[in-house]
Amino acid sequence: MTLTPGSHVLVTGGAGYVGSVCATVLCEQGYRVTVIDDLSTGNRAAVPSEATFVEGDVLDAAPSVLADDCAAVFHFAAKSLVGESVETPAKYWHGNVVTTLQLLDLMRAAGVDNLVFSSTAACYGEPETVPITEEMPTRPTNPYGATKLSIDAIITSYAAAYGLGATSLRYFNVAGAYGEVGENRAVETHLIPLVLQVAMGFREKIFIFGDDFPTADGTCIRDYIHVRDLADAHLLAATSNEPGTHRIFNLGSGDGFSVRQVIDTCREVTGHPIPAEVAPRRAGDPATLIASSARAVADLGWRPQRSDLHTIVQDAWSFTAGLGDRAHAARR
Ligand code: UDP
């Protein structure tokens, strides 16, 4: 089925951070969006008001959504905490691999052949060189990355045998916000939102996990990509998917920033001194992760517009400061 504005699309996990920004952009572009989310980690408030929202298990809810003239599926629903995946791998193999396999079977049964799959740089593990291209070895260092990589093998074979048209997007460090939608998790582990919580006065300081890595200032280097730019890539992927083809793209800015550079940018943007203290390394952190997105630029025509670090932090800060205002307003 051709995908054009007006088409019905399913967004699983559309109450989560990246999923809700994509759902918002799809609504803005005129698509008819149904979000399925069990709200285990997502926020109901992040689902755009124009979307139909179904609260519940993806596999329970998907058949009727797919049967309703559904042209494409954007599959975000997943377990995504690295540490938790090490402690409870069963939750990840079932929640990610088994659920996606069953969703693919439901799509086949309903004749829906267009998929965009939310994947991760964790598929590559510790790289030998950067920037990381899609041809480089995939050696995930935790079950989370292994589940996402395994799903790609399933998708590839379903594309070849059953005519599925699919794209897997391997995100590097997603950050920033889009309007009222940003990072707002019950348990936060990511650098930028945590640093901004210090600027908000919710935390006393930020801990820098290791300053003895082989990088210029000793702290880890990551490639930060704006969530709004990611949303564009999802749309470009869905509208160019071809039956029988599975494409894989890395999505990053191609620039790396150290933990100290991120904290300095947050100081500039917020005007807050943001106390920082060096702490031991976090298990499993590679020193440097930088994407090559050359393939996405060439094949999808993807043009990131907002992925310079200052804009990312500025947008994240506007969102975080707004959250504080909204919480304050709710208390009055
Ligand atoms: N980091 C840190 N302090 C924190 C959170 C993260 O120093 O409180 C570091 C982390 O070790 C990594 C970088 O910031 O080098 C980005 O971490 P994040 O969890 O945001 O993303 P990841 O790269 O692990 O996906």
Side-chain angles (χ1 to χ4, degrees), residues 173 189-192 194 206-210 220-222 224 259 282 285-286 289:
N173 288 61
T189 61
H190 294 93
L191 180 64
I192 292 177
L194 287 176
I206 185 76
F207 290 101
I208 297 173
F209 296 147
C220 287
I221 292 178
R222 294 289 179 273
Y224 295 87
V259 173
R282 191 171 65 176
D285 269 340
L289 291 177

Side-chain angles (χ1 to χ4, degrees), residues 3-89:
L3 184 69
T4 51
S7 299
H8 182 208
V9 298
L10 166 60
V11 180
T12 74
Y17 170 47
V18 183
S20 59
V21 171
C22 278
T24 301
V25 172
L26 283 162
C27 287
E28 285 172 0
Q29 312 251 326
Y31 291 88
R32 181 161 72 89
V33 176
T34 299
V35 166
I36 305 176
D37 198 300
D38 64 5
L39 298 185
S40 56
T41 52
N43 298 313
R44 173 67 182 90
V47 178
S49 53
E50 302 85 352
T52 301
F53 178 59
V54 184
E55 180 178 346
D57 182 77
V58 169
L59 299 175
D60 292 342
S64 62
V65 181
L66 293 170
D68 178 14
D69 252 353
C70 184
V73 175
F74 297 80
H75 183 39
F76 296 96
K79 303 282 168 212
S80 62
L81 298 176
V82 168
E84 186 185 55
S85 79
V86 176
E87 281 149 32
T88 54

